[in-house]
Amino acid sequence: MLNNLNALPAEQILHLANQLKHAGKLQQALRLYQNVQAREPANAEAALQMARMLHQAGNLPAARAALEHAFNHGADAYPLLHMLAALQHSMGDYKRAEKTINQALSEQPKATDTLNLAGTNLVEQHRFEEAIGRFEQVIKLNPKSVDAHNNIAWVLRSIGDKNRAIEHFEKAIKLDPKATEALSGLLLLKKYQDKTSDFTKAEKLLAAGGLSDKQQLELEFALGKAYEDIQEYHLAFNHFKTGNRKWREATPYDYDNDVKLFDQLKSTFNKPLGKIKKTGINKPITPVFILGMPRSSTSLVEQILASHSSITGAGELTYLGELLLDSRGLLKWNPETQQKAVHSYLNELFNHSEQRPFVCDKMPQNFRFIGAILELFPNAKIIHCKRHPLDTCLSLYKHHFPASNHPYAYDLESLGRYYLLYDELMQHWSKLAGDAIYHLSYEALLGDFEGELKKLFNYLELELEPSCLNFHETKRVVRTASSEQVRQGLYQSGAAQWKHYEEELSPLIDVLKPILPETD
């Protein structure tokens, strides 16, 4: 029968393909679905079945292509539109996903799955109030939607509405005691004075098993934070350690590749920087790069600067790394790359400017690209945030970063070795760039906040405004792990936290000994 497909109607071929799929003969089934799509490009069932199989196999681009092919030929079935929008969203094509979502909602305006997706897609475009509106639509249609309560809680946390965020996390957990993402969010957001039932719920879920690796490690990190709140440091570290071990198993780290990149950066940029003719600047903005090791106070500094009337905080932008690194994580540096980087990056930055002349990009790991920054954007301001090495590394170790952004951070020795690479590279940039880089110490901020800010704004060639001294009152979105801290003002307990874990951190301390302050 398979040799005479063209003699069969499409409906019969689809029936046969479905039988083969259920029998586990996936390649044969896929060929039949492809046959139907070739004959009837708008056949929604063939496209959907193909896309589901390809998605299960991890081939998202092919799954999306199958659906888009049918869509472009007129297929408009709701299930196809929803899955296509979900794939477009997961691949970062948020604008196109929004159009597809709206078309799906025109077919089924009360489809809660699609409304939830719409909200999530708006979050990625930083349209938070619209996202909240979508999630509220879902809750109105289905008050028992755990996903909607959880999603709206995370958005409320980002915009600083802590009490409402807690309320929605608690509703999600009440609806589903196994809603681990909501429970993790609650443990991270609340400030605990004593052990509560939230701890017990998380510990019971971990003990019962059956959680995915992602659910388990999120709960481990969140419990670690909660135990730290009540000063049970040994228990806290045990949870951090377990979470890091689980994440490290799924996220291998290639130290040698980072060594190659850092060596490449030092050899490519080996002449004095910061005195280059100002050319190629086509937008009336000044980029402000806030960089350094992650968890070194970059979010705090951005919050302070974004409280100024002339400065916009654009958050952690990925554009520069995407422009300058190839698929292996090594530097791309040629005239074509340089020209593209200048125009693409400045256009993106201008889109975030809110018509203010200074725009902050607080992607910490842009420290790798200081040489490129000073060549590409000679009017840029560069603020290097520094914090005690052990506090910086501990803070990294205590946090679960999504999307495998910091694979070096899940093992204490690897973390220490990466910090040494960073430290050596920053010494290289400092020798070449001199006072083109402003070095700002977190501990110095704690010691003389107003004095340090006056020096910082002098570097930026701006007047210090009172709002910057009261930065914690500024209403803006913060989506990083520091979203709570930047709204609390300065707190002395942020310094020397590593001393609570000195024994547990011994592998890290051994690696960092050559650069640790003598008083340690």
Side-chain angles (χ1 to χ4, degrees), residues 377-429:
F377 316 110
N379 70 325
K381 299 293 186 178
I382 299 174
I383 302 169
H384 170 221
C385 296
K386 300 186 296 179
R387 187 182 178 192
H388 191 291
L390 291 177
D391 275 338
T392 301
C393 290
L394 171 63
S395 191
L396 270 162
Y397 192 73
K398 292 192 304 183
H399 287 85
H400 168 229
F401 295 92
S404 308
N405 288 336
H406 305 289
Y408 57 86
Y410 302 105
D411 171 78
L412 290 174
E413 291 185 12
S414 297
L415 182 50
R417 292 196 296 166
Y418 187 88
Y419 191 97
L420 292 179
L421 289 178
Y422 145 80
D423 186 69
E424 185 179 354
L425 184 60
M426 284 309 307
Q427 290 183 44
H428 176 78
W429 296 139

Side-chain angles (χ1 to χ4, degrees), residues 496-509:
Q497 288 190 353
W498 66 270
K499 292 184 178 180
H500 297 304
Y501 302 99
E502 187 167 2
E503 181 179 344
E504 290 90 345
L505 293 176
S506 58
L508 173 66
I509 293 171

Side-chain angles (χ1 to χ4, degrees), residues 430-444:
S430 296
K431 288 177 184 176
L432 297 183
D435 59 9
I437 305 171
Y438 188 86
H439 302 278
L440 180 62
S441 162
Y442 175 71
E443 287 78 15

Side-chain angles (χ1 to χ4, degrees), residues 283 285 312 314 317 319 343-355 359:
K283 296 292 182 183
I285 55 173
T312 293
L317 304 180
Y319 307 124
H343 295 290
S344 298
Y345 182 80
L346 286 176
N347 283 332
E348 292 290 352
L349 206 64
F350 188 71
N351 291 337
H352 287 86
S353 68
E354 299 177 4
Q355 299 183 325
V359 186

Side-chain angles (χ1 to χ4, degrees), residues 38-53:
R39 292 165 57 177
E40 299 181 4
N43 191 301
E45 184 182 351
L48 265 172
Q49 295 293 356
M50 285 172 59
R52 287 166 181 161
M53 290 178 64

